[in-house]
Amino acid sequence: MGNGDEHVSDDMTYVQDALSEAVSEVASSIMSVWEDRADSPYSGLVVDQRLGVVTVYRVTGDAAFDADVLWRGSARVAVVLIDAPRNAAANQEIVQSILANADLPIHIYVISARYDGTGVDVLAEGDIPAARSILDGTYGEGFVQIERGAVALA
């Protein structure tokens, strides 16, 4: 044992404990209903499987959304609502706008909207200071965070 001669299973099945599975089910049920709707206040969510908590970020003001999302919780899984400045659809519009901006002097490798609606993160190469200045002028200072880097292909 421990010398590398042990049998390695090809079984890639991942088994979650009951609480983790319940948290995943609650998160999935929320996302399946609200994530892709342009009129949805949904911005994103975070799960804590160990504690049994699904934290949902949303634009305030939609009582039906809040009631539906809270209803999806259970005795084992708590659902927490946190205010977000913009919804997922608005965040994706900003991402698409950045990608379509031919004047940016950078090559974008990775771009994503933050789940809490507070901004966009970019991994890029090129003239980062110039791109940051352009994006700060368009979206407000610091809304788009650019980090220098590239994605290495394996």
Side-chain angles (χ1 to χ4, degrees), residues 5-27:
D5 292 336
E6 297 84 16
H7 172 72
V8 176
S9 172
D10 291 336
D11 182 9
M12 299 300 288
T13 304
Y14 175 74
V15 179
Q16 291 183 320
D17 62 75
L19 181 56
S20 293
E21 190 170 312
V23 169
S24 294
E25 288 173 3
V26 169

Side-chain angles (χ1 to χ4, degrees), residues 44 66 75 84 104 108 141:
D66 290 356
L104 290 176
I108 297 173
E141 188 172 341

